[in-house]
Amino acid sequence: MMELDAVIAANRFGLGARPGELALIAANPRGWLLNQVGNTAACQITADGLMSGTQAFEALQAYLQARNAQQRGGDAVRFQADERGRLANLVGQTIGRDIEARIQHAITTPASFGERWVQFWSNHFTVAARSAQTTPFPGTFEREAIRPHVWGRFETLLIAAETHVGMLIYLDQAQSIGPNSQAAQSGAGQRRRAGLNENLAREILELHTLGVNGGYQQADVTEFARALTGWTIAGPRVRRLAGNAQIGEVVFVPALHEPGPRRIMGRSFAASGKNQALDILRFLAGQPVVARQIATKLARHFVADDPPQSLIARLETNFLATQGDLSALAKTLIKSPEAWMPEAGKFKTPNDFLISTMRAGGVASTSTQALRGTFEQLGQAPWRAPSPKGWPDVATEWAAPDAILKRIDWSNLAADALGESTHPVRFAEEALGPALRDTTRTAISRAQTARQGLVLALMSPEFQRR
Amino acid sequence: MTNRRTFLTAGLSGLTLAMAGARASFAQAPANSGKFVFIILRGAMDGLAAVAPYADPDYRALRGNLALAEPGSPDGCLPLTAGFGLHPNLQTLHGLWQERRMSFVHAAASPYRERSHFDAQDMLEAGTAQVTSGSTGWLNRALALLPASPDAEGVAIGRTIPLVLRGTGKATSWAPPLAPESDMDTLMRLGDLYAGDPMLATALAMAIETNQIADGAEAGMSGRNRVGAYASLASAAARILSAPGGPAAAVLSFEGWDTHANQGATRGQLATRLEALDQAVAALRTGLGPLWSQTTVVIATEFGRTVRVNGTGGTDHGTGGAAFLLGGAVQGGYMMGDWPGLNRLHEDRDLIPANDVRTVFAAGLAHAWRLDQAVVMAEVFNA
């Protein structure tokens, strides 16, 4: 009989088994996971028409220019109608394509632990589409700043994330200007009503590194924000200050940078221009409290809402010992006995429920047009996290009564699509292997219709949990 | 493998597309052949409740509280052939019987002899002795017997095409553009599955309660009660069939017949469903108007239920069951097949499957499309 470990590898660590995949994993569940660690190529998404960050910025500029030009014209009704079309076009060519490619990758990849790992980090460094300005960037951010670095060092990932065009726009860094910078002192800076914006500095400290109780003060936030000034994007005006850089390129503009040394958490950082903020990021990445933060978050994501202290401690120790080697961290997680307890401690997010359903159904390709609405109705539209904190990671946030009912109703629809070629009991066996309880198997086999049987399989505790 | 198109309709907004497609494909050619409607009662309707063998000497002892009174007594069944009576809620069907537009068969079954609902439904719909992944449906195969014309087509009322209509022949589907809600029965079954999972159990119980309040205490989860939808689905089928160039065949699926507990006799959950079925037949007749005279309807279920009442006032999965052949095109008013009696039971629990339900399908197709029943048996059912 197949070991439970194969199911744990596929469901708890991965995005669920595709038909036949459990048998493959069963030969060596830990080996199957370890093989994915460090495989950066398997975590990349390439598809036609996906934009770089620079291209996405250009698309945003084109949209803004067209909008502003028409706004000056003054026909309000006509403007509303055209604006809808413009916005749809912007969404379609940027985040729309990325959503499609990401779902496609998630439902077909044989390296589904790698994809979970990517999505964990993508959520840790949330860049969400919350406005026209931010909409073009989450996909390109994940492809350019997250995916290439998830198996490297935390510090490298941190710097890649904080200096990407998507993050600089999402957390308002692009318009932050040192109050005593050259530009602010000149007339140009004053015309732009420019000043310091602390948003990125605060979220780096609070969410990306030290944590809210990580020992920093408001003064540290302000100091860090000053150090970050100058890091911006080459827009139509700024590019002239940055040696005529290409539109959309991330640049450091000395003229916008707050001059002088900075002092953060008792440590001094010399005035080194571009490097000052990078030095601070490296300093933060090495703080012991970061190891604790990341260890806790990872254990909560993969193992339990209230994870065992022994697991957190082991991950923390490893992070410290390897200076944040993320491959070593993943291997430590895989080798931890706490991660292989038979009891399924985690409740799937809507995203993982939908993806694992399609994987279990052997869906090879799908139009995400209709599916996108489903993600939204189940409460987790791709890259639309409500705040920089990202999506919540505990069951109480996802298992509200109405949310459960919506999952059941969607399962009812999905069962129709899956049911034409799927026997409900076999479906459950392929997806859950030995994790399928006898009571569930019996309930499925006694269902009144194949559709009802599939709904019971999809909504069973063992499919909903991992 | 699920393809791109079916998953598209599974998105919560794909339904209107399916509707537009169904309308467009009926655009031409006059209807000159008869109409055939197949109603599948999914979940296993209790044949002994629908058609009571009230004069069988073992009937009352075996059926206990579920037994119906004789015709003429209060709440009595409606008289058919001597010794058999319809459930009192099947008024429309009884009217058709009196007009000699309805016949019935008892103790009927497909070749399936086990007790899984969906395997049995597959067998019922394939119409063959075996079901494989490549199986097609008997109604689809029957379409090939019609002269080639645009209306040699079948429509399924529902979000997908069920097996009975799948195959090389032209088939489409139409679903009402409503939010597809899971029914109360499914929610109850999930409630059982969540017995060991307090988080899911509590969430589900609260959701059901909230829904009941939102729907009003009287109606109680009316949106999740499939019974109310039977007649409106039948009206939709009638509209599609009677459109110019409308399809020659339609399939309706009515779910929720799995009455393991508190089945009830003249009142209760099964009586409610039978009444809804009766209203659906009435809606079909009204909706088809003059076309009713050219229409043949077959009503069948995947298997019957146990003869004895179980410990929770219900019946469990059985074998022999009842089926109906009715419609304006039917010369009826008689009982088809044999009655095996209740003195001996299949595996000491079920009504003996004395009749092959496929014979009723063949008879229905022959009525509807003026075909030779023996030819239909051979070509469609390989029997």
Side-chain angles (χ1 to χ4, degrees):
Chain A
M1 198 186 113
M2 189 189 290
E3 302 174 72
L4 192 60
D5 282 0
V7 190
I8 291 176
N11 289 342
R12 189 173 302 164
F13 288 88
L15 286 163
R18 288 179 62 83
E21 200 174 15
L22 276 188
L24 200 93
I25 299 169
N28 182 0
R30 283 167 182 75
W32 179 76
L33 293 169
L34 290 169
N35 271 334
Q36 297 178 46
V37 176
N39 189 345
T40 306
C43 295
Q44 306 311 305
I45 290 180
T46 49
D48 288 344
L50 295 179
M51 288 186 176
S52 68
T54 308
Q55 289 168 326
F57 188 84
E58 284 170 8
L60 174 64
Q61 293 307 311
Y63 157 80
L64 290 172
Q65 275 161 20
R67 188 180 77 175
N68 295 341
Q70 195 186 15
Q71 228 157 11
R72 284 192 290 271
D75 181 342
V77 178
R78 175 76 189 279
F79 176 81
Q80 289 289 341
D82 289 358
E83 177 61 9
R84 267 196 297 278
R86 269 195 298 268
L87 210 49
N89 185 38
L90 179 68
V91 168
Q93 56 178 249
T94 58
I95 194 171
R97 286 180 190 157
D98 264 301
I99 289 173
E100 190 129 353
R102 190 200 212 207
I103 294 175
Q104 189 63 41
H105 178 75
I107 65 176
T108 53
T109 180
S112 74
F113 169 56
E115 186 60 16
R116 285 280 310 287
W117 192 256
V118 164
Q119 294 195 7
F120 170 82
W121 289 109
S122 182
N123 194 50
H124 179 77
F125 295 107
T126 287
V127 167
R130 302 303 300 180
S131 63
Q133 260 79 5
T134 51
T135 284
F137 300 106
T140 178
F141 168 79
E142 187 180 284
R143 280 184 287 108
E144 293 179 341
I146 303 293
R147 292 181 182 274
H149 305 295
V150 289
W151 303 117
R153 293 187 57 217
F154 176 74
E155 178 189 299
T156 313
L157 177 62
L158 175 71
I159 290 174
E162 310 304 359
T163 59
H164 188 271
V165 53
M167 186 66 85
L168 296 179
I169 289 185
Y170 177 61
L171 292 179
D172 307 315
Q173 175 58 33
Q175 69 232 46
S176 181
I177 290 173
N180 300 307
S181 68
Q182 224 179 75
Q185 297 303 308
S186 76
Q190 275 152 14
R191 270 202 306 280
R192 289 181 68 193
R193 301 185 307 277
L196 199 61
N197 189 310
E198 294 179 353
N199 204 8
L200 179 61
R202 181 181 307 282
E203 304 302 21
I204 290 174
L205 293 169
E206 180 182 327
L207 301 172
H208 301 165
T209 59
L210 308 180
V212 67
N213 298 315
Y216 61 91
Q217 309 293 324
Q218 174 55 40
D220 298 316
V221 175
T222 312
E223 275 290 88
F224 189 16
R226 290 185 186 115
L228 280 164
T229 52
W231 279 94
T232 188
I233 302 154
R237 280 186 296 260
V238 168
R239 62 188 286 269
R240 285 194 294 270
L241 299 171
N244 281 331
Q246 195 193 337
I247 294 267
E249 212 179 306
V250 171
V251 289
F252 179 79
V253 180
L256 301 174
H257 183 62
E258 180 73 2
R262 306 264 77 89
R263 191 166 180 83
I264 289 176
M265 297 176 77
R267 163 92 181 250
S268 293
F269 295 89
S272 55
K274 176 179 186 175
N275 284 325
Q276 192 176 49
L278 300 180
D279 288 341
I280 297 170
L281 285 171
R282 288 188 199 101
F283 163 74
L284 292 172
Q287 292 297 296
V289 69
V290 174
R292 184 81 188 169
Q293 281 290 113
I294 300 296
T296 308
K297 222 172 153 176
L298 260 182
R300 184 181 300 127
H301 186 71
F302 282 97
V303 178
D305 290 0
D306 188 9
Q309 288 303 314
S310 57
L311 175 62
I312 296 174
R314 190 176 309 107
L315 293 169
E316 180 185 9
T317 306
N318 179 266
F319 190 99
L320 291 170
T322 65
Q323 281 105 50
D325 177 340
L326 301 181
S327 281
L329 194 62
K331 287 177 190 165
T332 304
L333 176 70
I334 293 165
K335 291 173 181 166
S336 291
E338 296 91 340
W340 296 88
M341 300 306 268
E343 195 182 327
K346 292 296 292 184
F347 182 65
K348 284 180 190 172
T349 60
N351 177 77
D352 291 5
F353 167 53
L354 292 169
I355 297 293
S356 60
T357 299
M358 285 181 280
R359 288 180 70 88
V363 177
S365 73
T366 180
S367 162
T368 55
Q369 200 72 15
L371 212 51
R372 242 189 272 170
T374 303
F375 279 84
E376 195 161 337
Q377 294 199 33
L378 295 192
Q380 201 178 19
W383 292 306
R384 292 279 305 277
S387 81
K389 204 173 172 185
W391 297 110
D393 210 2
V394 289
T396 46
E397 300 280 347
W398 295 115
D402 184 60
I404 299 294
L405 209 50
K406 285 196 169 115
R407 286 191 191 201
I408 299 172
D409 285 344
W410 182 78
S411 299
N412 206 40
L413 265 179
D416 273 344
L418 296 170
E420 284 186 20
S421 55
T422 316
H423 189 287
V425 175
R426 281 195 290 280
F427 174 88
E429 285 170 349
E430 283 279 350
L432 297 167
L436 181 64
R437 298 175 305 159
D438 285 345
T439 47
T440 302
R441 186 199 310 271
T442 306
I444 295 170
S445 69
R446 284 187 186 157
Q448 295 205 46
T449 59
R451 179 206 291 148
Q452 188 179 55
L454 284 168
V455 173
L456 295 177
L458 292 172
M459 289 308 300
S460 65
E462 49 268 60
F463 195 85
Q464 289 294 317
R465 295 182 176 277
R466 50 163 46 132
Chain B
M1 201 99 332
T2 302
N3 62 31
R4 181 187 170 93
R5 199 175 159 277
T6 51
F7 232 97
L8 209 157
T9 53
L12 289 170
S13 53
L15 297 164
T16 44
L17 291 175
M19 184 171 73
R23 287 272 160 74
S25 60
F26 303 143
Q28 24 192 309
N32 47 20
S33 61
K35 304 292 183 186
F36 181 84
V37 179
F38 183 45
I39 299 177
I40 311 175
L41 307 180
R42 297 186 190 274
M45 178 201 61
D46 185 8
L48 290 167
V51 180
Y54 64 85
D56 190 288
D58 299 301
Y59 172 66
R60 269 164 226 293
L62 288 166
R63 278 262 125 176
N65 288 339
L66 299 189
L68 296 176
E70 293 189 4
S73 41
D75 281 340
C77 56
L78 311 169
L80 298 167
T81 304
F84 293 88
L86 272 178
H87 189 279
N89 282 3
L90 295 173
Q91 300 275 352
T92 304
L93 264 65
H94 193 247
L96 291 169
W97 170 267
Q98 289 171 324
E99 293 169 39
R100 310 189 76 76
R101 297 292 179 208
M102 191 273 270
S103 290
F104 69 95
V105 64
H106 222 315
S110 77
Y112 184 74
R113 286 294 171 271
E114 286 169 68
R115 293 184 179 87
S116 154
H117 288 295
F118 29 89
D119 289 349
Q121 285 164 30
D122 280 355
M123 192 79 97
L124 184 84
E125 296 178 58
T128 48
Q130 297 278 315
V131 174
T132 64
S133 57
S135 284
T136 58
W138 58 262
L139 188 49
N140 188 289
R141 296 194 298 276
L143 289 170
L145 302 179
L146 287 173
S149 85
D151 60 6
E153 178 184 14
V155 62
I157 308 300
R159 295 195 303 275
T160 59
I161 298 174
L163 176 57
V164 70
L165 207 48
R166 292 209 289 269
T168 52
K170 232 172 109 191
T172 182
S173 66
W174 178 90
L178 298 170
E181 295 181 327
S182 0
D183 59 305
M184 224 18 217
D185 177 67
T186 303
L187 299 184
M188 291 305 168
R189 286 170 194 245
L190 280 171
D192 291 345
L193 263 191
Y194 293 167
D197 193 318
M199 182 189 86
L200 287 172
T202 309
L204 181 62
M206 284 172 66
I208 291 172
E209 198 183 311
T210 310
N211 242 283
Q212 275 165 342
I213 294 164
D215 279 3
E218 291 275 320
M221 295 292 272
S222 56
R224 295 179 183 278
N225 187 346
R226 288 262 160 78
V227 171
Y230 293 176
S232 65
L233 293 175
S235 296
R239 275 197 303 279
I240 293 171
L241 287 169
S242 51
V251 176
L252 287 150
S253 292
F254 296 159
E255 297 174 7
W257 299 87
D258 199 18
T259 47
H260 283 284
N262 306 318
Q263 175 171 311
T266 53
R267 271 170 285 277
Q269 51 160 322
L270 183 58
T272 306
R273 284 201 159 67
L274 289 170
E275 186 178 11
L277 170 64
D278 197 67
Q279 286 165 358
V281 172
L284 198 59
R285 181 180 190 165
T286 307
L288 284 167
L291 252 188
W292 174 252
S293 65
Q294 299 166 49
T295 299
T296 304
V297 182
V298 169
I299 304 173
T301 189
E302 68 263 30
F303 45 61
R305 308 193 69 84
T306 49
V307 177
R308 296 183 189 91
V309 187
N310 67 19
T312 54
T315 50
D316 297 318
H317 300 181
T319 308
F324 300 94
L325 173 63
L326 54 88
V330 171
Q331 302 296 321
Y334 58 93
M335 178 177 184
M336 300 176 281
D338 301 323
W339 172 246
L342 296 172
N343 60 330
R344 210 164 46 87
L345 300 178
H346 177 68
E347 296 179 4
D348 189 32
R349 49 178 276 159
D350 306 340
L351 184 57
I352 289 172
N355 305 296
D356 188 335
V357 74
R358 297 177 297 173
T359 317
V360 184
F361 303 162
L365 291 169
H367 267 295
W369 295 336
R370 298 167 209 279
L371 300 165
D372 185 289
Q373 190 172 336
V375 172
V376 175
M377 272 316 275
E379 296 206 5
V380 176
F381 297 100
N382 279 325

